[in-house]
Amino acid sequence: MIDVRVSKVSKRFRVPDHGQGRRRLFGLLPGQEPFWALRDVSFEIRRGEALGVIGPNGSGKTTLIKLLSGITAPTEGEIEINGRLASLVEVGAGFQPDLTGRENIFLNGAILGMNYREIARKLPSIVDFAEMGSFLDVPVKRYSSGMFVRLGFSIAAHLDADILLLDEVLAVGDVAFQARCFQRIEELRQAGKTVLLISHDLAAIERICSRAILLSRGRILQDGDPRDVVEAYQASVQGLLAQDHSEAPGPITVTGLTFGTDGTGPVATGKPFRCCLSYEAREPLEDVVVRLSFNWPSGYLCTELSAGPGLRLEQGPGQLEFDCPMLTMQRGLYSTDLTIERRGEVLLSRPRCLMLRVGAGTVVRGDFYLEHSARIRTPPLTTSA
Ligand SMILES: Nc1ncnc2c1ncn2[C@@H]1O[C@H](COP(=O)(O)OP(=O)(O)OP(=O)(O)O)[C@@H](O)[C@H]1O
């Protein structure tokens, strides 16, 4: 059964042209330049699928979810939704600011077509999940953005919707809340619900979704297995490590970061592991520390490679190599943070600059592989009859 059908959908916005645009009227009103946020997008979502939507900033992800939830209408094309839909698109969207959390829960349930008794039955689980405490009877306009998201997710994920649309929910809450969201999404999937999730957290997309779409400049570049789509996206993303142009250039620039092994195929548990960082120092740098941190999909620090303190970098281009005789990390996708410091002063910080994919090598039960051996010292005891 098809829950969502998007056929040749395009969305055009008109953006004010404040320059010397030819459309300016007598020089008094700003002109309107057409801009296509989505162009000729077609896909279907089957009942029970969890579809991840990824892509760079401004690629049209939020516009897509707003079209699906009916917040805005397509300029061209058609959207068909079969089922009750709950969405969490923007912090605070779907809430009446002067009503309390409790009243908003009943309002949202009523919009989904549920009666008072059904909603009252779900209320405790919604409140529990969102950890509302005494805020349940406070007008939601007094809520922090984190509380909005907790309540919004909890409502969407506990009321009887068939289709759940979630835009970057996992980015706002804290790590513990994110973990509970993952778990709840998994439960909903197992219950046969349809989920569409937008996230910049590629590891989460790989973990939660059964399928993914890569958007770029309003068009679908790839649609398929999350792992393939995430890889295609990573391959297309250039210059994450490059200096942000809004920053003044610091004394050091990173020009490349690669992960590899000893030439025996891709990075995998139990194999040797090598990281190579290429840089350009604008001046000789003393007392430097370089850190590469690898984070679990949940955001927690998994482990770290560091060089220094006391590292001296000569002026000009150079390479720093980290060698691990055996990679003990479990298979999976880890985000990498890079930091370069000099005597406590941060010279360069690139959070989430690259993903490390660790393949299945040595089979590991648990979180880590522990290098070990086992032997028998004495003959086994025999029992006499
Ligand atoms: N109401 C609007 N008026 C004009 N332009 C808009 C409007 N809404 C979105 N856009 C533009 O449409 C493009 C797509 O925006 P959208 O928010 O869908 O991207 P996104 O992929 O969700 O980005 P991000 O990852 O930063 O959230 C952007 O260039 C954005 O500036």
Side-chain angles (χ1 to χ4, degrees):
M1 179 178 173
I2 303 296
D3 266 5
V4 177
R5 181 171 283 123
V6 176
S7 314
K8 294 185 174 305
V9 162
S10 297
K11 177 69 186 178
R12 184 183 58 211
F13 289 115
R14 298 205 172 271
V15 285
D17 164 23
H18 293 288
Q20 297 301 310
R22 58 194 182 291
R23 292 163 193 258
R24 288 188 67 162
L25 181 63
F26 307 123
L28 295 174
L29 295 173
Q32 302 270 295
E33 287 293 324
F35 168 79
W36 292 92
L38 285 177
R39 204 70 170 122
D40 201 23
V41 168
S42 299
F43 65 92
E44 291 174 347
I45 315 179
R46 281 190 298 281
R47 169 80 31 111
E49 263 191 316
L51 177 72
V53 181
I54 59 175
N57 293 125
S59 54
K61 304 181 294 297
T62 300
T63 304
L64 176 64
I65 218 169
K66 282 186 177 168
L67 291 174
L68 294 178
S69 48
I71 295 173
T72 172
T75 313
E76 291 171 6
E78 279 180 16
I79 293 175
E80 192 185 313
I81 306 281
N82 300 310
R84 292 195 291 189
L85 186 139
S87 64
L88 191 54
V89 177
E90 278 168 338
V91 174
F95 286 109
Q96 291 297 323
D98 289 318
L99 298 184
T100 64
R102 185 192 303 271
E103 289 162 340
N104 269 290
I105 293 171
F106 278 91
L107 182 66
N108 275 275
I111 291 170
L112 276 175
M114 296 171 70
N115 65 34
Y116 182 89
R117 283 179 61 185
E118 282 176 303
I119 306 168
R121 198 163 42 81
K122 305 263 182 191
L123 189 70
S125 46
I126 294 174
V127 173
D128 256 19
F129 188 94
E131 294 178 336
M132 298 301 299
S134 54
F135 276 88
L136 183 62
D137 291 308
V138 170
V140 299
K141 64 185 175 194
R142 311 233 180 278
Y143 285 14
S144 67
S145 56
M147 284 177 70
F148 263 122
V149 170
R150 285 212 307 269
L151 183 59
F153 180 88
S154 189
I155 291 176
H158 287 87
L159 293 183
D160 279 339
D162 305 305
I163 308 161
L164 206 64
L165 306 180
L166 303 168
D167 188 356
E168 280 296 357
V169 267
L170 305 169
V172 182
D174 57 30
V175 171
F177 176 72
Q178 285 177 16
R180 286 191 297 129
C181 288
F182 283 140
Q183 199 187 333
R184 183 67 192 150
I185 293 171
E186 190 50 46
E187 288 164 9
L188 290 168
R189 274 199 61 200
Q190 281 171 13
K193 308 280 182 183
T194 303
V195 180
L196 184 144
L197 172 72
I198 290 181
S199 183
H200 287 285
D201 183 343
L202 303 179
I205 293 283
E206 270 203 39
R207 204 171 118 196
I208 297 175
C209 299
S210 52
R211 189 181 135 210
I213 279 179
L214 170 59
L215 275 182
S216 175
R217 298 178 183 199
R219 292 182 189 268
I220 293 184
L221 282 195
Q222 195 159 340
D223 180 346
D225 181 74
R227 191 184 159 125
D228 298 339
V229 176
V230 165
E231 270 178 7
Y233 178 38
Q234 287 188 283
S236 73
V237 177
Q238 306 252 319
L240 272 180
L241 283 166
Q243 201 87 18
D244 182 341
H245 293 301
S246 61
E247 289 175 15
I252 186 162
T253 308
V254 171
T255 52
L257 177 61
T258 56
F259 302 132
T261 176
D262 55 355
T264 58
V267 173
T269 313
K271 282 190 178 179
F273 176 54
R274 175 169 291 172
C275 291
C276 187
L277 179 80
S278 309
Y279 61 85
E280 170 99 34
R282 290 193 182 74
E283 59 193 70
L285 297 168
E286 302 274 356
D287 264 343
V288 172
V289 186
V290 179
R291 281 199 194 89
L292 278 174
S293 313
F294 301 105
N295 306 289
W296 294 109
S298 63
Y300 281 117
L301 177 64
C302 169
T303 190
E304 189 174 87
L305 299 177
S306 67
L311 208 62
R312 182 184 156 81
L313 307 181
E314 301 299 337
Q315 185 172 0
Q319 276 190 344
L320 176 65
E321 278 182 6
F322 293 91
D323 265 315
C324 310
M326 180 180 289
L327 186 64
T328 59
M329 290 156 76
Q330 173 65 286
R331 66 179 289 199
L333 198 60
Y334 299 80
S335 63
T336 311
D337 301 341
L338 165 68
T339 320
I340 304 180
E341 289 175 15
R342 178 177 51 186
R343 298 183 200 110
E345 174 202 2
V346 177
L347 301 180
L348 185 138
S349 166
R350 293 282 173 272
R352 309 291 189 262
C353 64
L354 200 63
M355 301 300 280
L356 166 65
R357 182 185 295 284
V358 179
T362 307
V363 177
V364 183
R365 286 168 63 86
D367 286 343
F368 272 95
Y369 174 65
L370 274 186
E371 195 187 354
H372 62 282
S373 61
R375 70 189 151 186
I376 296 172
R377 280 190 182 278
T378 52
L381 288 173
T382 51
T383 48
S384 54

